[in-house]
Amino acid sequence: MNFVIMFLTNVAIGCSTTNLMIRTWLIWKTNYLLRLLLVLLSLGHWTLLALFLATARSSTINGVCMIHFVDPAYASAVVIYVMLYDSSLLIFTVIGLLRMPSTSPLWKTLVKQGVVFFIFNLLANIILLVLNRLNLNPIMDNIFAMPAACIWSGLSL
């Protein structure tokens, strides 16, 4: 059951970032080289998410739930990659929108959503990265992973 929860959390993170990638893809629909870069970055993102599956097991001795194995260096690499990937999507989106100046409300909404998403995503990732790099204990290393995933998923819609 815990494997399913971890897997679905990673799928939610991947789908939310793919949603943002599709926006950028549509803005740059005539630049095939940038679209190829977006595909390669997205494949790297999904690969990292597929490989990063922690296992949580309940202890038979005292009945508490414990994270069985999470490599802090690997978890940090995933968080850093997600931060860089999302920031590159934001930069590509804003540059693409600035190349097509418009006064339409859709253009303004896309710029605002991208900036708001990036700010909240950056804050969630920084907290997650700091707790992970402190390596206090397995629970503290991952305590903000689920709220961060909710922020990623909720703001990308």
Side-chain angles (χ1 to χ4, degrees):
M1 182 66 178
N2 294 321
F3 175 80
V4 173
I5 292 171
M6 295 299 289
F7 176 75
L8 291 177
T9 300
N10 286 348
V11 168
I13 293 168
C15 287
S16 67
T17 307
T18 302
N19 184 14
L20 293 173
M21 192 269 298
I22 290 170
R23 291 180 190 182
T24 308
W25 175 281
L26 292 174
I27 291 170
W28 290 92
K29 60 185 170 191
T30 58
N31 191 334
Y32 296 108
L33 201 56
L34 184 68
R35 288 170 63 176
L36 177 65
L37 177 66
L38 289 174
V39 168
L40 293 176
L41 289 173
S42 182
L43 287 174
H45 184 246
W46 277 100
T47 302
L48 281 175
L49 289 176
L51 294 175
F52 182 58
L53 290 174
T55 57
R57 301 184 194 275
S58 60
S59 173
T60 57
I61 297 170
N62 53 9
V64 296
C65 182
M66 298 178 60
I67 303 292
H68 183 63
F69 177 76
V70 175
D71 184 9
Y74 187 69
S76 296
V78 170
V79 172
I80 290 169
Y81 185 87
V82 169
M83 288 171 63
L84 293 174
Y85 179 55
D86 286 341
S87 62
S88 66
L89 286 177
L90 174 71
I91 291 167
F92 291 145
T93 300
V94 170
I95 290 172
L97 288 172
L98 290 175
R99 288 180 53 214
M100 302 177 287
S102 175
T103 59
S104 73
L106 177 63
W107 185 85
K108 292 176 183 176
T109 302
L110 285 175
V111 172
K112 285 180 187 176
Q113 283 180 353
V115 172
V116 168
F117 170 78
F118 179 71
I119 290 170
F120 280 111
N121 186 24
L122 185 66
L123 289 174
N125 281 321
I126 287 173
I127 293 169
L128 183 60
L129 185 62
V130 167
L131 288 175
N132 186 276
R133 292 313 302 160
L134 286 175
N135 200 15
L136 300 172
N137 61 42
I139 298 299
M140 288 301 294
D141 291 348
N142 298 293
I143 198 162
F144 202 67
M146 188 58 74
C150 292
I151 290 171
W152 290 325
S153 301
L155 289 176
S156 71
L157 298 175

